[in-house]
Amino acid sequence: MDQAQQLREIIKAENATQRPLARIITVTSGKGGVGKSNVSINLAIQFRRMGQRVIILDADFGLANIEIMFGTVPKHNLSDLIYKHKNIKDIITWGPEGVGFISGGSGISGMYNLERKYLVDIIVNLAELDAIADTIIIDTGAGISSAVMEFLVASGEIILVTTPEPTSITDSYSLLKALNQQDRFSRDNTIIKVVSNRVATGEEGQQLFNKLNAVVARYLKLPLKYLGAIPQDQMLARGVMQQSPVSIQYPNSKSSKAFEQIAAELVNKNEIEKYKPRGMAAFFSHIITGRKLNSEKNTGDKASGQ
Ligand SMILES: Nc1ncnc2c1ncn2[C@@H]1O[C@H](COP(=O)(O)OP(=O)(O)O)[C@@H](O)[C@H]1O
Ligand SMILES: [Mg+2]
């Protein structure tokens, strides 16, 4: 049995057990600094307040964003699960209001070279997250790196954060174009939801979406869904400086209210019923088998740069 086949068997066995699978939401953007980590954290907090169990996976390899914004230093990261045989429960750090987070560290890129005997263990371990969380939010790095693409291709549900800056719109378009070119990207099994961040008015947010949607519909023929806008808000920036997310530090601020609305839209019953949660085993197996296929084809970093 080759590795891809073996992984498929594991997922089948995992999914055959009647346990619930987590909803996985991947947050991304064309360029950095547009508000991905703030969207991830604040949506996580709002989901918690709605009674959900939430874990954030910080997959922005370069910058350890989430831990800084929570003012908490995690003892372990994903590498410890992979190389030091830590259990999944040992690498979750519990932040304010019971939001869990996992620091990706160098663990995610390390999955590339793993031997099969470790892989099975890791996937089974990661699949345990389905029992620990209802929703897993993945905060990715920005741009068209192959690591980000792998996450997006494996995701059923993507939140694309964009801002009114002209470069943010063109970079959002470039990201979607690169995603659309991935062999394994399935437009029928992926929904892309757009958040307009740092807008002056709700109308500006809607216009920003319309602009992006028009070019994407025309040249890529990808459907986008507008999720809503987050206003430019100095309270958000102040919260970041104080290492406390705006939803906690300034719950009545306008950005906090906007996060609340977007979270409510995401847990809206009609919205949820449209997607079948895939769970973590399927998600990570998708990433790992994709890497193997890519390295076999020897295409390398076909979409590197940014
Ligand atoms: N809605 C907003 N209002 C004001 N400042 C914002 C807003 N969103 C983001 N920022 C500023 O941008 C910075 C970068 O946000 P961050 O979430 O870290 O971006 P990313 O994760 O995409 O790199 C924040 O520290 C904050 O100062
Ligand atoms: Mg970030």
Side-chain angles (χ1 to χ4, degrees), residues 32-38 40 58 60 63-66 69 139-142:
V34 298
K36 281 183 306 297
S37 297
N38 274 283
S40 302
D58 190 346
D60 191 346
L63 307 155
N65 281 301
I66 302 292
M69 274 196 259
D139 182 13
T140 69

Side-chain angles (χ1 to χ4, degrees), residues 117-128:
K117 59 180 178 193
Y118 297 126
L119 271 183
V120 176
D121 240 23
I122 290 163
I123 300 275
V124 168
N125 228 319
L126 285 169
E128 268 188 53

Side-chain angles (χ1 to χ4, degrees), residues 91-167:
I91 67 164
I92 301 173
T93 305
W94 296 100
E97 298 201 21
V99 173
F101 74 94
I102 295 174
S103 170
S106 56
I108 293 162
S109 42
M111 283 184 176
Y112 192 32
N113 299 315
L114 285 172
E115 285 174 55
R116 179 187 306 182
K117 59 180 178 193
Y118 297 126
L119 271 183
V120 176
D121 240 23
I122 290 163
I123 300 275
V124 168
N125 228 319
L126 285 169
E128 268 188 53
L129 281 176
D130 292 328
I132 301 172
D134 302 302
T135 302
I136 293 161
I137 298 177
I138 302 184
D139 182 13
T140 69
I144 318 174
S145 71
S146 55
V148 173
M149 283 300 140
E150 282 158 12
F151 272 85
L152 298 182
V153 167
S155 304
E157 194 174 358
I158 296 170
I159 293 181
L160 174 65
V161 183
T162 192
T163 71
E165 285 178 285
T167 50

Side-chain angles (χ1 to χ4, degrees), residues 29 31-39 60 63 65 69 139-140 142 161 197-199 230-238 240-241 255 259:
S29 67
K31 68 184 230 122
V34 298
K36 281 183 306 297
S37 297
N38 274 283
V39 166
D60 191 346
L63 307 155
N65 281 301
M69 274 196 259
D139 182 13
T140 69
V161 183
N197 187 23
R198 310 195 77 159
V199 297
I230 316 285
Q232 168 67 22
D233 182 6
Q234 62 170 13
M235 293 314 199
L236 184 146
R238 200 175 289 176
V240 171
M241 296 303 288
S255 57
F259 285 121

